Amino acid sequence: MRKYKAYCFDLDGTVYKGLKPVPEAKEFIDYLQQQGIEPFFVTNNAKMTSIQVQSKLHKIGIEAKSDHIMTSAIATARYVSEHFDHKNVKVLGDDGLRQALSEVGMKIVDHNPDVLVQGMNTEITYQMLADACYAIENGAAFVATNGDLKFPTEYGFAPGNGAMAELIHNVTDIAPIYIGKPAPYMLEIIQQQFHLQKEEMLMIGDNYDTDILAGIHYGIDTLHVNTGVTRTKEVLAKDRPPTYAIDSLREWIE
Ligand SMILES: [Mg+2]
């Protein structure tokens, strides 16, 4: 296999599953770090700050550098600060998103926002959804951290952020700008921040529709692992398959 400078790992289903590590991924990360290669972590999860992601990884024995952790909240904050001149944002999201927006100098307001920024919020109420719709109907732009419609839990599939965003879309007739994978914004920020060439980057993930497509859209190599959402067989049958499809990262340890 080829060597890369930037190994960009998805988290859930790739590095861990819930609270448990994926052992082969942990071994592969150890193997990279022994060679002085610090991996990147790229997650659509907008609830956690990079410090919270770092501490979750620490609990499963992985030491990650906080500036190598990219969440859809961080990328969304950067996108909003670069694309809108007016800085008043209304947030329908959690701590990770609020903190990321404050850090780039956005002002969080309740009324008359320029942008409605929507991210996963498990405390969401009918009133919050209605207020988000009113803000957009009154002219606020609509940006959402990620479009994942559902995610697996021990009880079954639960509504993901995209399910809430699409509800607002249906009411307002305004489609959100989605920032998380499969959009390439998070990979683009990593490339710019660390002055990488696209040939030096590899996106590693379990989900074809988010991880692998993000890499394909951005034009970097992709590696699919069979430890999560999409099975290898399905991935190989796609029109645009990943660069590599393997069972687990153990196959990549020499
Ligand atoms: Mg995943």
Side-chain angles (χ1 to χ4, degrees):
M1 94 235 27
R2 266 191 58 196
K3 294 270 182 218
Y4 296 86
K5 251 192 197 169
Y7 294 80
C8 303
F9 288 84
D10 165 57
L11 288 176
D12 225 337
T14 302
V15 172
Y16 52 63
K17 288 184 197 174
L19 296 171
K20 290 194 192 111
V22 174
E24 299 91 335
K26 184 184 160 0
E27 283 167 36
F28 185 68
I29 289 166
D30 287 344
Y31 166 78
L32 290 177
Q33 287 177 327
Q34 280 158 19
Q35 300 168 65
I37 299 169
E38 280 302 329
F40 291 87
F41 299 94
V42 179
T43 178
N44 271 6
N45 185 333
K47 280 169 67 76
M48 291 198 286
T49 65
S50 53
I51 300 299
Q52 287 168 335
V53 172
Q54 190 182 38
S55 101
K56 179 161 184 186
L57 287 168
H58 173 78
K59 282 185 194 138
I60 57 165
I62 294 171
E63 303 307 325
K65 295 181 97 171
S66 65
D67 65 349
H68 280 52
I69 293 166
M70 179 54 59
T71 71
S72 65
I74 296 169
T76 296
R78 186 158 156 159
Y79 179 90
V80 170
S81 76
E82 285 174 3
H83 287 79
F84 297 97
D85 293 336
H86 300 290
K87 303 295 182 198
N88 289 342
V89 295
K90 182 177 173 67
V91 184
L92 187 59
D94 227 324
D95 285 356
L97 185 56
R98 285 173 186 278
Q99 187 181 320
L101 285 160
S102 302
E103 277 173 10
V104 295
M106 305 306 289
K107 189 171 168 224
I108 296 175
V109 298
D110 269 333
H111 301 289
N112 301 319
D114 303 301
V115 189
L116 186 280
V117 185
Q118 190 263 343
M120 190 65 180
N121 181 340
T122 49
E123 315 274 289
I124 203 161
T125 64
Y126 180 84
Q127 192 59 49
M128 288 156 81
L129 286 163
D131 287 342
C133 292
Y134 303 148
I136 293 164
E137 289 162 27
N138 284 314
F142 182 16
V143 179
T145 55
N146 62 300
D148 300 57
L149 287 173
K150 58 185 178 178
F151 62 92
T153 73
E154 57 189 305
Y155 310 107
F157 284 106
N161 192 58
M164 303 297 157
E166 286 305 319
L167 185 156
I168 298 169
H169 175 187
N170 280 322
V171 174
T172 60
D173 247 343
I174 304 287
I177 298 162
Y178 285 119
I179 302 297
K181 298 171 282 189
Y185 299 111
M186 292 193 281
L187 294 169
E188 184 181 62
I189 295 172
I190 291 172
Q191 191 200 358
Q192 288 170 356
Q193 246 171 20
F194 292 85
H195 309 290
L196 296 157
Q197 303 296 319
K198 285 187 181 177
E199 311 80 76
E200 298 171 329
M201 299 174 72
L202 178 69
M203 180 69 217
I204 303 169
D206 65 294
N207 186 331
Y208 180 84
D209 295 321
T210 54
D211 307 320
I212 302 305
L213 280 183
I216 290 174
H217 290 156
Y218 197 49
I220 65 172
D221 283 355
T222 52
L223 169 62
H224 177 264
V225 287
N226 198 25
T227 50
V229 172
T230 322
R231 301 270 72 97
T232 304
K233 219 174 86 185
E234 278 174 70
V235 158
L236 292 174
K238 300 278 183 189
D239 284 345
R240 302 166 85 187
T243 319
Y244 314 96
I246 59 177
D247 252 341
S248 84
L249 284 159
R250 193 162 286 157
E251 292 175 36
W252 269 35
I253 300 174
E254 284 173 346

